[in-house]
Amino acid sequence: MAANGSSPPMVHLLENQMNEAKKVKLTDGNEVGIPSKVIHIRSIPTEVSETEVISLGLPFGKVTNVLLMKKKNQAFIELEGESHAQAMVRYYNEVSPMIRGRPCFVQYSTHKELKTTQVNPAAQAALQAADGASAPHNTEIPKTVLRVIVENMLYPVTVDVMHKIFSKYGTVQKIITFTKNNTFQALIQMADPIAAYSAKFSLDGQNVYTACCTLKIDFSRLDALNVKYNNDKSRDFTNPNLPGGETITGGLPGAGIQPDPQHMALNLATMAQLQAAHAGQQFPFPGMSPHPAAMGLQGFHMAGGLQTGSVVLVSNLNEEMVTPEALFTLFGVYGDVVRVKILFNKKDNALVQFAEPRQAALAMSHLDKVKVWGKQIRVAASKHPVVQMPKDSQSEGGNLTKDFTNSPLHRFKKKGSKNYQNIYAPSGTLHLSNIPPTASEEDLKEAFAQTGGEVKHFKFFPKDRKMALIEMGSIEESVTALIEMHNYQLGDSSHLRVSFSKSTI
């Protein structure tokens, strides 16, 4: 998206065209002038970007040029053909176009062609980004329902966050959120096709929070959404009287975490410190503060005001199978586990301490209610700020508490580790890496079969045989295989790395 800061040197019309622009009579109502492929847009906000202006024309055809005259609150766009421009003017004569919540006016320009004498980098970048994104036919207006997939979801994204983001491009009428194939998705119905198209063009590929929660947007095949309940999973903004219904948050990405930063229980002093510490950090959506976890806050604020730290309580474990090392490996998929303590008097419970609160939150959102060793475990925030080591490691129960601070197996030791981009919920397919050239497909399948599960499929990466995908018979079998096979020695100096994958074979 083009930046909205100070604009580069003004792109000029040819001298005679500029003179005509100064003389043009601005008309309202249906007096839209003589048809031309150049469209004159007026009453635009001063801070508008080329991208936002272009998005008004994209539903009707390819936009070939754009000119902003910010000081005059005007803009010109040129479409590929006159018929495209006619479709655009006809539509906006019935439906008032909006930019940043402000109505603007569209009419034919007196110019038959939009020529510029100077290259504007921002305009060229916006045109290049829009190339190929225009509607296939000048008469075809997209639907109003968007399908949004949130990839690399390190922090929760809710109905309220979606509403705040998409409202910038028009009226949001309805939202439904759900998970499919372990991926958080949303269906969003805008008030009109142009708002939907503008939102898609402007937001597709953007990150909700810094370097994560990437939006992938397409048009849905649905013509409209049928929302039955107004709750934390769905909302009909046109009908506030709908019942709340029952919501099930366990097991969903970000379940139970209040993600809207503006609703966090942060005092003004804390916010001032954060702003000072991150003054140079850029966040893509105006008015959206960064998620506290993205800025290294010392805890998350859960719904109801409970603040979570770095320790989680794991319950309903299989006490015959559980060990500190097994929990270190499983929970280490979501963060660097510092300490693990299996409770002496209740061995189906354990405390797991992470290096950072956001890692604890990831573990809670991905591992709660996952089946491990035949039992559905529960993962919740602990009241303990740290896991205490026993005074005497040789005492009874001393082997139930382990310190992993200096473990070489931490996945996220490096600040801003790329491993954060490959965090997924437990799935039946595992991603294998660091495979030595001496290891064959049969060697790996045999090794994973020893974990007690069924190996259904196996596939080396075509361009890199150091990596592969292996599909187990179930998610539970996959979890067990990860616990047993991560750091498995395959050669003299090669240890296998195993993580959950979003891919299938």
Side-chain angles (χ1 to χ4, degrees):
M1 193 184 305
N4 291 338
S6 58
S7 56
M10 175 62 69
V11 176
H12 299 288
L13 288 171
L14 292 178
E15 187 175 351
N16 62 332
Q17 291 178 314
M18 180 60 80
N19 291 334
E20 290 180 22
K22 291 178 180 178
K23 296 176 183 177
V24 68
K25 181 181 179 181
L26 303 181
T27 57
D28 294 313
N30 294 325
E31 298 177 22
V32 293
I34 300 172
S36 166
K37 64 180 182 180
V38 180
I39 300 296
H40 182 196
I41 306 167
R42 53 193 177 86
S43 296
I44 62 172
T46 304
E47 67 277 11
V48 73
S49 69
E50 284 86 352
T51 298
E52 291 168 291
V53 172
I54 289 172
S55 69
L56 292 178
L58 279 180
F60 308 94
K62 182 178 179 179
V63 177
T64 57
N65 208 350
V66 60
L67 169 68
L68 284 192
M69 303 174 69
K70 292 188 176 183
K71 292 183 179 179
K72 296 188 175 185
N73 300 103
Q74 298 178 32
F76 294 85
I77 63 171
E78 179 182 296
L79 281 86
E80 194 169 31
E82 193 173 289
S83 60
H84 300 251
Q86 288 177 319
M88 177 178 174
V89 172
R90 279 197 303 268
Y91 182 82
Y92 287 131
N93 198 34
E94 300 294 331
V95 179
S96 179
M98 304 282 287
I99 295 182
R100 300 196 174 204
R102 174 175 166 176
C104 51
F105 302 93
V106 168
Q107 64 191 61
Y108 296 117
S109 170
T110 57
H111 312 300
K112 294 299 180 182
E113 189 176 356
L114 187 59
K115 294 182 179 179
T116 55
T117 59
Q118 193 174 334
V119 175
N120 181 336
Q124 292 301 312
L127 288 168
Q128 186 175 3
D131 190 29
S134 54
H137 305 292
N138 63 301
T139 57
E140 181 179 330
I141 302 298
K143 296 180 179 180
T144 59
V145 180
L146 298 169
R147 183 183 67 134
V148 183
I149 297 174
V150 183
E151 296 183 345
N152 188 26
M153 188 167 164
L154 299 190
Y155 315 116
V157 177
T158 62
V159 168
D160 290 328
V161 171
M162 286 290 193
H163 182 263
K164 187 178 186 71
I165 292 170
F166 281 79
S167 290
K168 176 183 174 183
Y169 303 93
T171 301
V172 177
Q173 293 185 330
K174 302 174 183 179
I175 298 178
I176 297 174
T177 63
F178 58 96
T179 54
K180 184 177 181 181
N181 299 327
N182 295 318
T183 303
F184 181 81
Q185 301 187 27
L187 293 172
I188 301 178
Q189 181 175 330
M190 305 296 289
D192 61 79
I194 304 305
Y197 208 99
S198 297
K200 178 187 182 303
F201 173 62
S202 301
L203 295 175
D204 187 32
Q206 295 284 346
N207 295 326
V208 178
Y209 302 116
T210 304
C212 66
C213 300
T214 305
L215 303 178
K216 299 297 183 183
I217 307 174
D218 285 307
F219 284 103
S220 169
R221 288 178 291 183
L222 299 173
D223 293 322
L225 298 181
N226 181 21
V227 177
K228 296 180 180 180
Y229 304 108
N230 283 337
N231 52 37
D232 59 345
K233 298 301 168 197
S234 61
R235 199 81 51 83
D236 185 341
F237 296 96
T238 68
N239 185 4
N241 298 320
L242 287 178
E246 295 184 5
T247 60
I248 302 174
T249 58
L252 298 178
I257 302 173
Q258 174 58 272
D260 189 349
Q262 299 199 353
H263 290 94
M264 293 291 175
L266 300 176
N267 57 40
L268 292 176
T270 303
M271 287 304 297
Q273 292 169 0
L274 290 175
Q275 290 167 358
H278 300 271
Q281 200 164 356
Q282 295 297 314
F283 300 94
F285 302 118
M288 282 288 289
S289 303
H291 193 284
M295 300 194 296
L297 279 184
Q298 295 305 306
F300 280 84
H301 291 267
M302 308 290 284
L306 175 65
Q307 186 179 33
T308 70
S310 300
V311 182
V312 298
L313 172 66
V314 189
S315 57
N316 201 38
L317 288 160
N318 184 330
E319 58 184 271
E320 300 296 325
M321 300 293 294
V322 67
T323 64
E325 290 77 13
L327 293 178
F328 167 78
T329 300
L330 177 58
F331 282 77
V333 172
Y334 302 102
D336 292 336
V337 174
V338 178
R339 290 177 180 174
V340 176
K341 182 184 189 72
I342 298 172
L343 303 190
F344 179 74
N345 293 322
K346 199 173 184 183
K347 293 184 174 63
D348 62 345
N349 281 243
L351 295 173
V352 178
Q353 180 180 338
F354 287 89
E356 300 177 8
R358 65 169 172 173
Q359 297 173 352
L362 283 170
M364 283 188 285
S365 66
H366 288 306
L367 290 177
D368 186 42
K369 295 187 178 179
V370 169
K371 208 168 185 181
V372 183
W373 301 307
K375 300 183 73 175
Q376 189 181 67
I377 66 170
R378 298 306 309 267
V379 185
S382 171
K383 64 182 180 181
H384 299 284
V386 295
V387 171
Q388 298 289 349
M389 294 297 295
K391 295 180 180 179
D392 182 4
S393 60
Q394 302 301 319
S395 64
E396 187 178 13
N399 63 337
L400 297 178
T401 304
K402 292 292 176 69
D403 189 308
F404 297 96
T405 302
N406 298 317
S407 172
L409 300 180
H410 289 154
R411 298 176 188 247
F412 309 97
K413 282 189 294 186
K414 292 182 180 179
K415 191 172 182 180
S417 170
K418 290 184 178 180
N419 287 335
Y420 276 118
Q421 300 175 18
N422 297 300
I423 292 178
Y424 305 106
S427 61
T429 304
L430 296 169
H431 179 273
L432 315 182
S433 60
N434 204 36
I435 302 171
T438 55
S440 67
E441 177 178 337
E442 290 306 315
D443 292 336
L444 290 164
K445 288 168 70 174
E446 182 179 349
F448 274 80
Q450 295 297 317
T451 65
E454 175 195 4
V455 177
K456 295 179 67 176
H457 302 288
F458 181 93
K459 182 181 179 181
F460 276 112
F461 278 49
K463 296 182 180 180
D464 188 356
R465 285 181 62 88
K466 291 181 180 180
M467 296 190 291
L469 294 176
I470 189 167
E471 183 181 350
M472 305 300 292
S474 66
I475 293 178
E476 183 181 0
E477 291 180 3
S478 179
V479 170
T480 302
L482 182 143
I483 292 172
E484 296 190 24
M485 295 301 297
H486 182 62
N487 201 43
Y488 181 81
Q489 188 167 353
L490 287 171
D492 292 339
S493 59
S494 297
H495 290 76
L496 189 65
R497 295 185 64 84
V498 184
S499 55
F500 296 115
S501 173
K502 68 173 182 178
S503 304
T504 56
I505 304 175

